[in-house]
Amino acid sequence: MAPRASDLASLRRFGFLTLKTYSLIAVSNAIEALRMANRVTGREDYAWRVLSLDGAPIAASNGLSLHPTEALGDAEGLDVLFVCGGIDVRAATSQELRVALRRLARQRIVIGALCTGTFALAEAGLLRGYRCAIHWENLGAIREEFPEIDILDEMFVIDRDRITCTGGAVPLDMMLRIIATHLGPARAREIATQFLLERDRAGSEVQPVTTLDPLPPSMGRAVRLMESRIDQKLSIGEIARAAGLSERQLERLFRTYTGATPVAYLAATRLERARRLLRQTGMSITDIGIACGFMSLAHFSTAFRNRFGYAPRQERQRQAG
């Protein structure tokens, strides 16, 4: 359910709760949109505060930190709080964080997330009954861990009093959407021009499914089918039909754009997803294998070792070390 424009227009005082190794580019893009809004209007329409649980500056994933940083408990009068995640967000959450987020939610403050901060909201139980977004790299892991939550593959999602965004440069698009409800579309375009943005990205745009060069639409459909049904057995004929191609055409396209056959590409996709789940979740190795379409632990372990040179359990040990 989309919020009323008047609800978004009332958001003027923003808090950014930084977690350990958060994504600085995501936070900076969000704050810069607010700064530029004040600059183009010549007024202090928006205010923002960088926060941590204890008030100490937190190092982002690139080693930098933001000053000044205030304690979350001292931040009164916020309209919205964004939880800002990054690398290894699971290790950055805590019971203290979950209690604080639930308390703020009870106070009717709008709660949001940037990048992997969505995981912290899910872990706190604040996304049940909501639609939400998270960075594509963490989509598979959070969907496996929180199957009851409607997690979309869109750029950002604004659902009533929850605002979640994928990260990278997308927070700038999200903030422009919020700013437009208060200052109007013309002002939002003026701000976008200052940042040399060529076009507006709607929240409903789907995140890129692949790091490959831009794909023909038919191949894009094939890749999306592979990724959306990674836990299921897929035949090449089924993939080709979904893409509107013959099996020979599908094979030719995959060899041209990936240097691999569709079968090899699908196998690699399953194994890359499995490696992310090993890194990002506490799921058992057996459950991860099943979630990625492997019929047995032995099959999964052999395929994983052949691709990466070590067993799945060693991936876990590498991360723990």
Side-chain angles (χ1 to χ4, degrees):
M1 181 184 299
R4 296 188 301 271
S6 58
D7 295 332
L8 292 177
S10 68
L11 303 180
R12 310 286 184 82
R13 295 163 297 181
F14 291 73
F16 297 91
L17 178 60
T18 53
L19 305 183
K20 182 181 177 182
T21 62
Y22 66 94
S23 169
L24 185 58
I25 189 174
V27 177
S28 298
N29 270 284
I31 292 175
E32 280 296 282
L34 300 176
R35 179 192 68 81
M36 188 60 71
N38 289 347
R39 181 184 173 203
V40 299
T41 62
R43 304 187 305 264
E44 294 297 315
D45 285 284
Y46 296 101
W48 57 90
R49 303 163 85 170
V50 177
L51 309 167
S52 68
L53 284 176
D54 61 4
I58 301 295
S61 57
N62 62 3
L64 302 179
S65 56
L66 294 174
H67 300 260
T69 296
E70 306 172 49
L72 177 61
D74 297 336
E76 298 180 353
L78 295 177
D79 298 319
V80 55
L81 176 77
F82 283 102
V83 180
C84 308
I87 297 172
D88 197 9
V89 66
R90 178 185 298 276
T93 63
S94 63
Q95 181 62 16
E96 181 185 6
L97 173 64
R98 292 187 285 275
V99 169
L101 292 177
R102 291 167 188 152
R103 173 177 54 80
L104 289 169
R106 288 194 297 270
Q107 295 173 8
R108 316 301 293 179
I109 292 174
V110 174
I111 304 292
L114 303 183
C115 196
T116 61
T118 301
F119 174 85
L121 302 192
E123 198 176 49
L126 299 180
L127 291 176
R128 295 190 187 98
Y130 288 90
R131 298 159 58 251
C132 65
I134 194 170
H135 191 279
W136 65 265
E137 193 174 29
N138 298 82
L139 262 174
I142 196 171
R143 280 173 171 163
E144 291 292 339
E145 193 155 356
F146 301 97
E148 74 280 6
I149 299 176
D150 189 8
I151 304 164
L152 309 181
D153 56 1
E154 297 179 356
M155 294 290 192
F156 61 88
V157 176
I158 301 175
D159 188 359
R160 293 160 289 168
D161 54 354
R162 297 290 183 269
I163 304 175
T164 50
C165 184
T166 53
V170 178
L172 180 55
D173 299 276
M174 179 192 68
M175 297 302 284
L176 289 173
R177 164 82 172 87
I178 294 171
I179 289 167
T181 62
H182 172 50
L183 299 181
R187 281 294 195 193
R189 285 193 295 272
E190 185 178 351
I191 295 166
T193 300
Q194 289 289 333
F195 292 120
L196 305 178
L197 294 184
E198 295 181 357
R199 68 179 184 89
D200 296 334
R201 285 187 293 189
S204 58
E205 287 192 33
V206 176
Q207 297 183 66
V209 299
T210 175
T211 56
L212 300 171
D213 291 335
L215 302 176
S218 56
M219 187 173 171
R221 290 193 294 272
V223 171
R224 286 198 182 282
L225 178 64
M226 291 179 180
E227 297 202 342
S228 66
R229 293 176 55 186
I230 205 164
D231 60 334
Q232 302 172 29
K233 186 175 181 179
L234 279 172
S235 70
I236 297 305
E238 188 175 359
I239 297 170
R241 286 192 296 274
L245 300 169
S246 68
E247 292 185 30
R248 182 173 294 181
Q249 288 171 323
L250 184 72
E251 180 107 6
R252 187 182 307 118
L253 275 176
F254 268 83
R255 287 190 180 279
T256 299
Y257 284 89
T258 72
T261 66
V263 170
Y265 182 85
L266 178 57
T269 300
R270 293 186 195 280
L271 290 166
E272 290 294 344
R273 172 74 62 83
R275 185 161 68 166
R276 287 199 293 272
L277 291 177
L278 287 165
R279 292 174 174 177
Q280 297 169 3
T281 77
M283 294 169 63
S284 72
I285 292 174
T286 298
D287 286 344
I288 288 174
I290 293 170
C292 295
F294 294 94
M295 296 299 104
S296 69
L297 178 58
H299 180 205
F300 172 42
S301 296
T302 299
F304 194 95
R305 184 184 293 276
N306 288 341
R307 180 165 180 83
F308 299 115
Y310 50 87
R313 61 179 174 76
Q314 291 175 286
E315 180 68 54
R316 280 267 164 85
Q317 293 167 354
R318 289 156 68 100
Q319 292 303 304

